[in-house]
Amino acid sequence: MDEFLAARMQMGVSLGFHIVFACIGMVMPWFMFVAEWKWLKTNNPVYLDLAKAWAKGVAIFFAVGAVSGTVLSFELGMLWPTFMEHAGPIFGLPFSWEGTAFFLEAIALGLFLYGWNRLNKWVHLYTGLVVGIAGVLSGIFVVSANAWMNAPAGFDWVNGQAENIDPVKAMFNKAWLAQAHHMTIAAFSATGFAVAGVHALLFLKNKLEIHAKAITIALSFAAVAALLQPISGDLAAKNVAKLQPAKLAAFESHFKTTNRAPLIIGGIPDVENEDVKHAIKLPGFLSFLAHGDFNAEVKGLEEFPREEWPPIPIVHYSFQLMVAIGMFLALLGVIFLAGSFKWKHWLGKKWWMKLLTIATPLGFIAVEAGWIVTEVGRQPWIIYGIMKTRDSLTPMPGIQYTFYTITAVYLLLSFIVIWLLSRQIKVLQSKYLSHD
């Protein structure tokens, strides 16, 4: 493994690990907030136990997310020093705001965890709300920094140097809004289905009230998010078509510039022959996805130098996987909403619980696939159209060893988190089973 591949793999592993905890950190506080609010409204102690159990989970994920996020920030400077030399003064503003949101989240979470029976009950409730708001803002600020890499703004690039820097314009670049809403909705969908899936599995073993209520709260968020996600994805795709047409072409393995471009479902990209084999093609749908017009022209990869093409198969398969999972989760969202308002007997059936169990990891797989599409689809650029990733690589040797070390550490952390969560679940289970 050469230094360049090792550096990219290290960033990929670090981001892939961190993004799971970032999503959970954005969403889980909303679940514990709703659970406590339901307890205050109904005085049902099951909601109180659920709020306390989820709060402990939030604390675990917050701690690991903070560590992995810090590692990522160090890796930017360690692995890509040329990038940070030029980009740091430009897109540092969202990182500073992310730090502010992080500190606010940490303070509010501390008050929530240690404020039981010490704070006024409504004050305590709203500290949980602050944790949720700060978590979402933290995620949006980081996504804004990533969006700048896809749509650089707020500076003039003159003779290899950034001049006339405007940090506010850089932060609110043309890609930030599309990426922010798409990522935020994805986080609610992925985390909601994961939490519901875990409780569905536990409900199949022991039909306890606490699991039924947990599923309802988690799916109330996840179902709405899953139904909004296709709309968000459509807006995001149109934004990519405008700002990064080569990336859009890679999504669909669209090699030739054509009018009434087909949307490709599945298929195996043949880069050498510039074709996609064994695919289902829907005429005009890619034109509509990209430009809102079934007859519009969509640029193909032929419009760009071949050395500027991203790795087509990786991007194509990741995009297909993301969309397929998104549609499946949207279907589950429809079933849940239909069951909630009309066919309530559906939601207690074994087949429904098994579907939720199957869906447990799918949202996060879609999130990972989406980040592969975003990051690999931008290649070979680290700053789109301005600086190539290879040109930013550190001259430091031995990156392979840091990659191996980081991977091992993250695997160890994953096992520790699973063990801690399993222990919390067992404690909760034993309390209710002993009552029976």
Side-chain angles (χ1 to χ4, degrees):
M1 184 184 298
D2 64 22
E3 307 285 351
F4 184 50
L5 179 59
R8 292 179 65 186
M9 290 291 289
Q10 183 172 328
M11 285 297 297
V13 168
S14 298
L15 178 60
F17 181 86
H18 175 70
I19 196 62
V20 173
F21 295 92
C23 288
I24 295 171
M26 291 169 68
V27 178
M28 277 293 290
W30 294 91
F31 297 173
M32 69 182 193
F33 166 76
V34 170
E36 185 179 6
W37 176 76
K38 294 282 283 185
W39 169 62
L40 292 174
K41 285 290 186 180
T42 65
N43 207 32
N44 185 338
V46 171
Y47 285 118
L48 176 61
D49 288 338
L50 190 57
K52 289 184 175 181
W54 277 344
K56 291 175 182 176
V58 169
I60 293 169
F61 286 116
F62 180 84
V64 179
V67 171
S68 57
T70 303
V71 170
L72 268 173
S73 63
F74 279 117
E75 285 176 339
L76 281 173
M78 182 182 76
L79 301 176
W80 317 104
T82 305
F83 165 71
M84 288 304 295
E85 176 187 352
H86 295 286
I90 305 171
F91 76 158
L93 182 61
F95 278 126
S96 64
W97 278 109
E98 191 273 338
T100 303
F102 172 80
F103 283 122
L104 179 61
E105 183 182 6
I107 293 167
L109 181 59
L111 290 172
F112 190 90
L113 292 173
Y114 297 104
W116 294 103
N117 302 319
R118 293 181 176 89
L119 298 174
N120 173 277
K121 60 183 181 180
W122 292 103
V123 172
H124 184 269
L125 172 69
Y126 288 111
T127 60
L129 180 61
V130 172
V131 176
I133 293 172
V136 170
L137 289 176
S138 180
I140 289 174
F141 290 134
V142 171
V143 168
S144 173
N146 177 265
W148 177 85
M149 297 165 71
N150 291 313
F155 66 99
D156 296 320
W157 192 251
V158 181
N159 298 323
Q161 298 293 326
E163 299 181 358
N164 304 319
I165 294 172
D166 184 344
V168 175
K169 188 175 180 181
M171 179 174 170
F172 297 106
N173 56 78
K174 293 181 179 179
W176 85 270
L177 182 58
Q179 282 194 215
H181 66 65
H182 196 56
M183 183 62 226
T184 303
I185 293 171
F188 274 89
S189 178
T191 306
F193 279 109
V195 171
V198 170
H199 284 281
L201 178 62
L202 296 170
F203 187 83
L204 284 170
K205 296 178 179 178
N206 299 287
K207 292 180 170 56
L208 299 176
E209 181 186 3
I210 191 168
H211 298 314
K213 294 190 180 306
I215 292 168
T216 300
I217 292 173
L219 285 185
S220 297
F221 286 92
V224 174
L227 292 174
L228 289 176
Q229 192 69 313
I231 301 171
S232 171
D234 178 68
L235 295 173
K238 287 178 170 56
N239 189 260
V240 170
K242 185 188 302 181
L243 301 175
Q244 297 175 287
K247 181 187 285 188
L248 180 80
F251 287 178
E252 289 290 309
S253 296
H254 182 65
F255 294 98
K256 305 293 183 183
T257 299
T258 55
N259 294 320
R260 197 169 173 75
L263 183 71
I264 293 176
I265 300 175
I268 301 172
D270 183 349
V271 179
E272 289 301 318
N273 296 310
E274 300 186 2
D275 191 19
V276 185
K277 298 177 180 177
H278 314 299
I280 299 171
K281 298 184 179 182
L282 305 178
F285 276 80
L286 180 57
S287 293
F288 182 80
L289 179 71
H291 303 294
D293 180 355
F294 284 99
N295 296 307
E297 179 183 273
V298 178
K299 285 186 178 181
L301 287 161
E302 65 179 2
E303 300 280 342
F304 308 93
R306 202 175 182 94
E307 63 271 15
E308 294 182 6
W309 290 11
I312 308 300
I314 295 174
V315 177
H316 178 82
Y317 294 137
S318 298
F319 182 72
Q320 297 288 319
L321 179 62
M322 177 185 69
V323 172
I325 291 175
M327 298 308 293
F328 177 70
L329 295 182
L331 174 61
L332 294 186
V334 169
I335 294 173
F336 172 72
L337 293 176
S340 298
F341 291 103
K342 190 168 178 63
W343 296 284
K344 293 184 183 294
H345 62 283
W346 285 5
L347 303 184
K349 298 291 186 181
K350 185 177 287 188
W351 62 264
W352 173 241
M353 294 299 167
K354 288 183 177 179
L355 272 179
L356 291 179
T357 302
I358 292 169
T360 302
L362 294 184
F364 288 116
I365 293 173
V367 167
E368 299 285 5
W371 274 103
I372 290 172
V373 168
T374 299
E375 297 301 289
V376 178
R378 189 180 61 245
Q379 300 308 312
W381 305 100
I382 193 167
I383 306 176
Y384 190 73
I386 292 175
M387 181 184 295
K388 291 189 174 180
T389 308
R390 183 176 289 277
D391 296 334
S392 181
L393 180 66
T394 178
M396 180 184 71
I399 298 175
Q400 299 93 331
Y401 304 109
T402 63
F403 164 58
Y404 299 142
T405 303
I406 286 290
T407 303
V409 169
Y410 282 155
L411 286 173
L412 178 61
L413 274 175
S414 298
F415 286 121
I416 292 172
V417 169
I418 292 170
W419 174 73
L420 288 172
L421 292 176
S422 299
R423 190 176 68 168
Q424 293 299 326
I425 290 170
K426 287 177 181 177
V427 170
L428 187 65
Q429 286 271 90
S430 62
K431 175 179 178 179
Y432 279 84
L433 291 175
S434 63
H435 287 173
D436 291 345

